[in-house]
Amino acid sequence: MSSLKRILVTGGAGFLGSHLCERLVGEGHDVICLDNFFTSQKSNVAHLLDRSNFELVRHDVTLPVFLEVDEIYNLACPAAPGHYQYNPIKTLKTSVLGAVNTLGMAKRCRAKILQASTSEIYGDPEVHPQPESYRGAVNSIGPRACYDEGKRAAETLFMDYHRMNGVRIRLVRIFNTYGPRMHPFDGRVISNFIRQALTGEDITLFGDGSQSRSFCYRDDLIEGMVRMMNAPDDLIGPVNLGNPGEFTIRQLAEMVIEMTGTASKLVYCPLPVDDPTQRQPDITLARRHLAWEPTVPLREGLARTIEWFRSIDMSHYRPPTPRF
Ligand code: NAD
Ligand code: UDP
């Protein structure tokens, strides 16, 4: 049997999805990228359009879709807080109905399916660093809940389709990932700081900047995701994927200021509600079962990301439609 597969990537035009599509097309697989372009644009995959093993489908995962595939990477979901809070009800529907529709397809096609879950599953964690066994501290009624609870419900659906129908599933919990092709107006901290630094705007530090995050470069993350999909069927996860190097947001701001040589000033803004105070992945399982660990340190990944931001015309990017 050929090792080339028919692979569906939902959210395939997004930041991570477009890199994943690029990688899979490069390996010769028949790749279908499905996206509704809510937080992305066609330009992310324009360079793949003339490849005979790449196909682009405009579709919303909250609606059923019938395709014949061997593997599914389910990435469709707004990921930046500003994007997912724009229409929280739609965000929750995207996670839940998107999981139901893609799991149904996996069941019908006997396809393997990987869910892009998140460190937000852990909420504002009281355990540090976070192992997969930690059950999390999510505020189910706060402004981040549409994303956090949607992703938690999706994990539940994946496990139940697996237990009830024998669907071959993979769960990865992704920690903050960054790199070229992030949307410059998505409001995530790295894209925000770099854009602000390059355009001479003030750098917006939320709270006192003592909250921490652990930043993974996108190439490392994609490698981990593909390894997880290709792992033996008994490794269903969840498995954390992230870079354990932990930094405060203030340290990140200072690094961006130094590396861009900007004259931008730091300004303090209110800390968003339920903003996690700390986050660091325990990647023992990924090391042991996938022989995976990140290779790109923050400073190196930031240099590549800054270079990309310098190369784009930011006027070609729109923020999503303003809040209704
Ligand atoms: P992104 O916003 O760039 O990509 C998400 C993609 O999904 C976009 O192309 C968007 O248009 C598409 N999409 C959204 N709603 C859709 C719908 N209803 N139907 C079809 N397509 C839809 O974000 P990203 O950083 O590339 O994230 C990709 C996935 O990884 C998401 O599921 C996200 O939750 C997960 N994740 C990302 C990170 C990170 O730090 N980048 C961390 C944890 C989890
Ligand atoms: N943040 C900040 N300034 C910004 C954007 C974000 O200080 O302009 C902070 C935010 O409050 C959070 C951290 O950076 O503590 C990471 O935010 P992001 O939205 O990137 O991701 P998440 O909170 O989902 O991890």
Side-chain angles (χ1 to χ4, degrees):
M1 207 179 90
S2 159
S3 59
L4 293 184
K5 290 165 283 195
R6 300 164 300 172
I7 305 180
L8 169 66
V9 181
T10 76
F15 159 54
L16 292 177
S18 60
H19 287 289
L20 180 61
C21 285
E22 208 170 271
R23 156 99 183 234
L24 299 172
V25 166
E27 289 175 357
H29 299 293
D30 203 349
V31 177
I32 305 172
C33 165
L34 181 152
D35 209 295
N36 71 350
F37 302 110
F38 171 50
T39 60
S40 58
Q41 50 286 314
K42 257 189 247 170
S43 59
N44 281 351
V45 288
H47 60 296
L48 299 174
L49 287 174
D50 61 358
R51 301 287 293 261
S52 59
N53 58 338
F54 180 78
E55 209 175 329
L56 181 58
V57 177
R58 183 190 285 264
H59 184 80
D60 192 309
V61 285
T62 60
L63 302 169
V65 57
F66 288 80
L67 298 164
E68 308 306 317
V69 293
D70 305 306
E71 287 181 357
I72 302 168
Y73 289 86
N74 187 35
L75 272 64
C77 185
H83 284 164
Y84 67 65
Q85 288 170 24
Y86 159 67
N87 183 342
I89 298 168
K90 180 63 195 274
T91 299
L92 193 54
K93 282 187 183 173
T94 297
S95 275
V96 174
L97 299 177
V100 169
N101 289 328
T102 50
L103 282 161
M105 188 189 301
K107 181 182 163 197
R108 180 177 56 78
C109 299
R110 300 186 207 290
K112 258 192 286 186
I113 178 165
L114 177 144
Q115 167 68 356
S117 193
T118 168
S119 52
E120 284 285 315
I121 292 284
Y122 304 122
D124 190 3
E126 312 108 324
V127 171
H128 194 74
Q130 295 81 52
E132 293 81 350
S133 56
Y134 174 52
R135 294 188 183 176
V138 170
N139 175 9
S140 65
I141 55 172
R144 298 174 82 101
C146 59
Y147 182 71
D148 302 8
E149 298 291 5
K151 290 285 187 178
R152 288 173 73 92
E155 285 198 2
T156 306
L157 282 161
F158 268 67
M159 289 306 298
D160 285 332
Y161 268 77
H162 173 67
R163 283 188 287 251
M164 204 172 150
N165 300 308
V167 173
R168 292 184 294 154
I169 62 159
R170 308 282 189 274
L171 295 172
V172 291
R173 292 184 178 154
I174 304 168
F175 285 64
N176 299 60
T177 301
Y178 69 100
R181 242 180 254 157
M182 290 186 92
H183 194 297
F185 299 103
D186 67 10
R188 288 191 259 201
V189 69
I190 288 193
S191 32
N192 242 20
F193 284 179
I194 295 178
R195 193 198 73 248
Q196 290 164 339
L198 295 184
T199 56
E201 293 167 54
D202 289 340
I203 302 217
T204 50
L205 199 57
F206 297 168
D208 63 4
S210 63
Q211 70 272 32
S212 72
R213 293 293 185 275
S214 303
F215 299 103
C216 185
Y217 189 65
R218 57 119 217 252
D219 293 5
D220 283 330
L221 195 279
I222 298 298
E223 177 62 32
M225 237 190 209
V226 172
R227 283 194 197 195
M228 184 67 183
M229 181 62 106
N230 295 333
D233 270 351
D234 58 354
L235 185 65
I236 61 176
V239 170
N240 287 339
L241 293 179
N243 190 326
E246 185 186 6
F247 296 84
T248 66
I249 298 304
R250 170 181 272 286
Q251 284 175 318
L252 175 73
E254 284 163 356
M255 215 184 275
V256 170
I257 289 172
E258 179 224 305
M259 291 178 71
T260 54
T262 184
S264 294
K265 299 274 168 298
L266 276 182
V267 294
Y268 291 88
C269 303
L271 190 67
V273 176
D274 290 339
D275 199 287
T277 47
Q278 54 181 358
R279 189 182 281 159
Q280 185 188 32
D282 177 332
I283 59 165
T284 309
L285 286 184
R287 281 198 178 106
R288 185 184 306 147
H289 297 293
L290 305 174
W292 176 87
E293 65 183 339
T295 58
V296 182
L298 181 58
R299 188 169 275 277
E300 192 181 321
L302 277 181
R304 293 185 207 171
T305 310
I306 291 167
E307 194 185 324
W308 179 79
F309 270 81
R310 283 192 201 279
S311 76
I312 58 166
D313 180 349
M314 292 192 211
S315 69
H316 289 167
Y317 292 80
R318 281 183 302 123
T321 324
R323 188 181 286 271
F324 43 83

